[in-house]
Amino acid sequence: MSSSFCKSDCQSKIHSDEASYVWTIEDFHLHEAEGEPLDSPPFSSVKNNQVKWYMELYPNGETDENDSVSLNVYLSELSSFEKSKQIFAKATFLVLNSENNEKIKESLDIKEYLHPDTPNSGWGFAEFIKKDEYFRNKLLLNNTLTIRCEVKFSDLSFLHCDSGIEMPECDLSENFASFFENQILTDVILSVNGKEYPAHKAILAARSPVFCAMFKHSTKENELNRVDIKDINEAVVEGMLKYIYTGKCDDLDELAEELLVAADKYDLRRLKIMCAKELIEGLSAEDAANVVILADMHHLEDLKREAINFIVANFAQVLNTVGWKNMLVSNPHLVNEVCQAVARK
């Protein structure tokens, strides 16, 4: 969950998350005898493993009385926060019995302005549990103490303030597009049906494992600084190059099938998925069979499943299309898959 707000002429963004961990401490009496603090393994949320927490427990407390258990929580990964970030959190500690029912619950609020070079600082309770008869008989089961920590946290990112320092928008894709459009420092030619597209080996290699392998070795293309493309037309190559340089593609609605083939050839995985998504959203009775064939040929199981489901739902209309008749001749195994899906309906 994220939200934006304005405060004190600063624009900020908040990202919220939560993490939890159940810590089982066996042989508690031995730890009492040793008297040394214990650290839990680090834990994080499912969706963000860059922000990590851990618990620290003093079996005899942090004071000289030795009659309490102290418990703290620490942020163990400060490097994931920039200097312009602030952390807000609520930590909740629970002691569990053998049925995992909570017995003691304590919560605290955490607010800290973080710097990557700030040493770890913890938050918690010096007297979390009194080591009384109830603790010995009800919470310390089989000489084992079980604690669950739940941390709900948000990091506050400052985008810009009216202090004279403003963060400009990232214009990386525009910079790359300018290099391509203005043919600046190009070192390779992509030739398509006599039309030439000056490009950059480094950018092509960074985006495509196929181009990377081509330019890393003593291939004809690398030595001649020229790639002849004979199986893709100009419009598709232009769309592919725009994606390579900017991460965007404006003609997906018209070129999705052809771009998917090109993306598969040059291992442009995200473009391949973008094309598959466009084909799913634009499925029709006329092209459903062709999409099944295309998906099967290029190993896109999700696209294939969606197209087959569409055919099942519109079977009568699809039976009369040219694509279905072609599939009967060229891909009988796919016809069998569709018929099995119809039978299961």
Side-chain angles (χ1 to χ4, degrees):
M1 180 178 69
S2 66
S3 59
S4 298
F5 67 93
C6 290
K7 181 180 180 181
S8 300
D9 298 323
C10 283
Q11 292 186 11
S12 311
K13 179 176 281 189
I14 290 179
H15 301 277
S16 299
D17 207 342
E18 58 185 86
S20 65
Y21 183 74
V22 175
W23 188 17
T24 301
I25 305 170
E26 299 178 343
D27 300 320
F28 187 81
H29 292 323
L30 294 179
H31 296 300
E32 275 188 299
E34 293 175 356
E36 296 297 324
L38 309 173
D39 290 344
S40 75
F43 58 96
S44 61
S45 71
V46 174
K47 64 183 180 181
N48 184 0
N49 61 10
Q50 300 300 310
V51 182
K52 296 183 180 180
W53 306 81
Y54 72 93
M55 286 178 277
E56 180 185 59
L57 181 140
Y58 288 79
N60 296 321
E62 297 179 88
T63 65
D64 297 332
E65 283 77 12
N66 294 337
D67 62 347
S68 298
V69 174
S70 300
L71 186 62
N72 300 309
V73 65
Y74 288 80
L75 195 72
S76 65
E77 291 287 345
L78 294 181
S79 59
S80 61
F81 291 96
E82 299 175 0
K83 290 186 178 182
S84 60
K85 289 194 175 181
Q86 197 170 17
I87 188 77
F88 301 88
K90 177 178 284 294
T92 302
F93 301 110
L94 306 98
V95 180
L96 309 179
N97 66 11
S98 58
E99 288 81 29
N100 282 342
N101 295 321
E102 63 182 68
K103 290 297 181 182
I104 290 181
K105 180 174 181 178
E106 295 283 359
S107 299
L108 71 154
D109 293 322
I110 297 170
K111 180 179 178 181
E112 184 74 6
Y113 190 75
L114 296 176
H115 293 261
D117 54 354
T118 299
N120 291 4
S121 58
W123 304 267
F125 300 94
E127 296 183 353
F128 176 61
I129 312 172
K130 282 288 186 181
K131 295 195 293 184
D132 53 16
E133 184 176 347
Y134 177 80
F135 170 76
R136 299 290 181 188
N137 297 331
K138 300 295 184 180
L139 301 181
L140 197 61
L141 302 172
N142 298 319
N143 200 20
T144 298
L145 182 62
T146 305
I147 298 172
R148 182 166 75 230
C149 179
E150 301 170 350
V151 184
K152 296 182 179 180
F153 59 95
S154 303
D155 70 270
L156 176 61
S157 308
F158 296 100
L159 301 184
H160 71 265
C161 299
D162 291 336
S163 60
I165 300 176
E166 184 169 345
M167 180 65 68
E169 294 291 331
C170 178
D171 54 0
L172 183 64
S173 63
E174 289 83 355
N175 295 154
F176 279 7
S178 176
F179 259 52
F180 175 66
E181 293 167 0
N182 297 310
Q183 301 181 14
I184 300 171
L185 300 176
T186 58
D187 55 4
V188 66
I189 296 291
L190 272 61
S191 176
V192 186
N193 296 329
K195 188 170 182 177
E196 296 186 342
Y197 299 91
H200 306 81
K201 288 183 180 179
I203 294 177
L204 297 178
R207 302 285 278 156
S208 161
V210 174
F211 280 126
C212 184
M214 183 185 297
F215 298 137
K216 279 175 62 177
H217 300 95
S218 297
T219 62
K220 177 182 69 174
E221 290 84 357
N222 197 23
E223 292 176 358
L224 297 177
N225 298 323
R226 184 181 185 87
V227 180
D228 291 315
I229 301 176
K230 300 179 180 179
D231 53 352
I232 305 175
N233 65 40
E234 298 96 313
V236 175
V237 169
E238 289 175 10
M240 181 182 73
L241 284 171
K242 178 164 187 177
Y243 169 78
I244 287 175
Y245 277 84
T246 68
K248 303 173 184 177
C249 190
D250 298 330
D251 301 320
L252 275 180
D253 55 338
E254 300 177 4
L255 299 174
E257 289 190 24
E258 295 93 333
L259 275 169
L260 189 150
V261 175
D264 193 37
K265 176 180 178 179
Y266 291 104
D267 200 7
L268 299 166
R269 299 176 187 178
R270 185 172 181 274
L271 178 59
K272 187 176 175 182
I273 299 302
M274 288 168 61
C275 294
K277 186 174 182 295
E278 182 70 26
L279 290 171
I280 289 173
E281 293 175 353
L283 276 172
S284 67
E286 288 298 324
D287 63 11
N290 292 333
V291 171
V292 172
I293 296 172
L294 185 72
D296 183 68
M297 184 181 304
H298 296 282
H299 312 291
L300 285 166
E301 292 303 318
D302 289 342
L303 176 60
K304 180 179 173 182
R305 182 178 62 252
E306 292 292 334
I308 289 177
N309 289 341
F310 181 91
I311 293 175
V312 170
N314 303 273
F315 196 53
Q317 297 96 310
V318 174
L319 284 179
N320 296 318
T321 64
V322 174
W324 177 259
K325 294 173 183 177
N326 289 338
M327 191 162 72
L328 285 170
V329 176
S330 61
N331 294 274
H333 69 287
L334 295 178
V335 174
N336 185 49
E337 284 190 47
V338 172
C339 291
Q340 288 179 3
V342 172
R344 289 194 299 268
K345 182 180 178 183

